[in-house]
Amino acid sequence: MVHELADYERAPEQCHLTEEQLTTALFATAPALFGHVAVDDADQPIGFALWFLNFSTWEGVHGIYLEDLYVRPAARGTGAGRLLLATLAAICVERGYRRLDWWMLNWNPAARFYAAIGATPMDEWVPYRLAGPALHELAAQVPAAPTRPDA
């Protein structure tokens, strides 16, 4: 379904995730990625939420960052997306996290759904990303760690 989401977001060529990578990320000894799957009455997957913990230095507690939320087109309007988000909200409340964050493409019609559940856009914040050659160039600026003769 991650590849279905990439198609929906008009970027299938950018999605390189394999089943093995996802399995490793979700089921490692100490996973950093967590997920929930919504299923229909026939136990067939109809949606998913993939998330990880973030941390607010201002609040002093963790929160959840929702990396991906996707509900298959045939299942939209069934409450599956709301239930996935409600599950994450319940985890936040149960664990004392103060917020649930995510990004959305500006053309996504899900904005109406998010507004209906009380989510507010954070339009005063500008997302930045460092990737590819620029990431490598910056990483190369770290001086080599000195070697210790006793190590």
Side-chain angles (χ1 to χ4, degrees):
M1 279 192 288
V2 171
H3 288 274
E4 290 176 33
L5 172 61
D7 284 338
Y8 175 76
E9 292 185 349
R10 305 173 188 161
E13 71 287 348
Q14 295 177 31
C15 186
H16 305 289
L17 180 72
T18 67
E19 183 178 340
E20 180 181 345
Q21 289 172 314
L22 184 58
T23 299
T24 298
L26 288 168
F27 302 107
T29 303
L33 179 69
F34 306 94
H36 291 82
V37 176
V39 296
D40 63 15
D41 292 337
D43 209 33
Q44 294 300 305
I46 59 171
F48 71 90
L50 291 174
W51 58 277
F52 52 86
L53 295 179
N54 58 18
F55 187 81
S56 170
T57 54
W58 289 20
E59 296 282 346
V61 296
H62 283 290
I64 287 178
Y65 181 80
L66 175 62
E67 177 66 18
D68 288 318
L69 175 70
Y70 179 72
V71 175
R72 288 184 161 148
R76 293 183 188 151
T78 64
R82 179 180 291 268
L83 184 56
L84 286 164
L85 284 174
T87 299
L88 298 184
I91 291 169
C92 286
V93 170
E94 174 186 306
R95 297 182 185 177
Y97 303 161
R98 299 229 176 109
R99 62 189 194 196
L100 170 57
D101 296 317
W102 66 90
W103 289 4
M104 180 198 74
L105 290 167
N106 62 2
W107 54 262
N108 191 330
R112 292 185 303 276
F113 164 61
Y114 296 144
I117 63 169
T120 56
M122 302 292 293
D123 55 8
E124 69 274 14
W125 293 88
V126 178
Y128 281 84
R129 176 171 295 152
L130 188 61
L135 176 69
H136 289 270
E137 288 171 23
L138 185 59
Q141 295 176 22
V142 174
T147 57
R148 293 182 18 208
D150 60 336

